[in-house]
Amino acid sequence: MTSGRTGAPPERHHQHRDVTGGWLRPAVFGAMDGLVSNFALIAGIAGGQASAKVVLLAGLAGLAAGAFSMAAGEYISVASQSELAEAEIEVERRELARHPAAEERELAGVFEARGVDPETAAEVARQLSRDPDEALQVHTREELGVTPGDLPSPLLAAGSSFLSFAVGALLPVLPYLLGASSLWPAAGIAGLGLFTAGALVSKVTTRAWWFGGTRQLLFGAAAAAITYGVGALIGTG
């Protein structure tokens, strides 16, 4: 026995990719930053004809300094942004407590500006305003673009930046840790890492993976070539 809905077209639902890049984008860019900066540093020291031990020391120092700098900068940046958002959320909370009617009219105006007719906008604002917590969430999302209780964690941001930068910065140092005495093994690993990172970034863009990988490889190679030239020009003598 067939249903009366047999001839109805099936429901179609479309999905979007995460346009923010999720965790992939900051992780890959952090690793890429560590890889490019530390490989360029190593290349500059190697270009000055320094010994493998000196190159290794410079690479490890660059890893530690860069990772801690990234973590500290990310912590301060995210903490400052969160503190500012929390201060503004508190302002909105006080306004809702002191002037509920005015805030309700303001919310209705927001909906009207989006094309909702005045009567419906006023009714939606009235219903939302019955719950102070819900009203606060709606007001802060509309006016500040943030949600109370869902602000980014400075510690998580700092830890993520530290780890991703350190992983990238470690790659060109590995050959020297394993006993290499020339720049070529480090260049090979760095090149592979740069291409892979660029290809991964392409997953959150419309670019082909080979384009993203090649582009990042060329940028990293250019940075290393310049610092190598500077090192060769100045030397260690």
Side-chain angles (χ1 to χ4, degrees):
M1 184 174 182
T2 59
S3 168
R5 292 177 58 84
T6 303
E11 292 186 2
R12 297 177 64 91
H13 299 281
H14 67 279
Q15 294 182 333
H16 292 289
R17 292 184 297 171
D18 180 5
V19 296
T20 66
W23 61 268
L24 178 64
R25 186 178 183 277
V28 172
F29 273 102
M32 196 182 297
D33 189 13
L35 178 53
V36 171
S37 62
N38 217 32
F39 178 51
L41 172 63
I42 288 173
I45 301 297
Q49 303 302 311
S51 67
K53 185 175 181 180
V54 172
V55 175
L56 174 60
L57 176 61
L60 292 175
L63 185 158
F68 279 109
S69 176
M70 284 284 291
E74 194 71 11
Y75 182 91
I76 296 299
S77 174
V78 173
S80 299
Q81 184 179 10
S82 295
E83 289 164 3
L84 174 60
E86 287 169 355
E88 292 302 311
I89 290 170
E90 187 57 33
V91 170
E92 192 64 36
R93 182 180 284 109
R94 289 198 301 268
E95 288 299 306
L96 282 167
R98 295 172 180 172
H99 311 289
E103 290 297 308
E104 183 178 322
R105 289 194 299 271
E106 182 181 342
L107 188 58
V110 170
F111 295 136
E112 286 185 49
R114 293 190 173 188
V116 180
D117 64 81
E119 293 78 12
T120 303
E123 178 60 21
V124 171
R126 185 187 68 78
Q127 293 188 29
L128 288 174
S129 299
R130 289 185 301 194
D131 183 346
D133 291 334
E134 181 65 26
L136 178 63
Q137 291 208 26
V138 175
H139 276 275
T140 54
R141 278 199 303 268
E142 295 295 332
E143 298 176 31
L144 304 175
V146 299
T147 301
D150 193 29
L151 298 176
S153 165
L155 284 175
L156 180 60
S160 300
S161 295
F162 183 94
L163 288 176
S164 60
F165 185 97
V167 168
L170 179 63
L171 288 179
V173 179
L174 278 176
Y176 288 96
L177 285 172
L178 297 176
S181 58
S182 72
L183 185 63
W184 291 112
I189 291 180
L192 180 61
L194 287 166
F195 185 88
T196 301
L200 285 174
V201 169
S202 70
K203 288 188 173 293
V204 294
T205 70
T206 58
R207 296 289 189 180
W209 63 270
W210 58 265
F211 178 88
T214 302
R215 177 174 61 181
Q216 188 56 44
L217 176 60
L218 291 176
F219 284 152
I226 292 172
T227 55
Y228 184 91
V230 172
L233 182 65
I234 298 176
T236 57

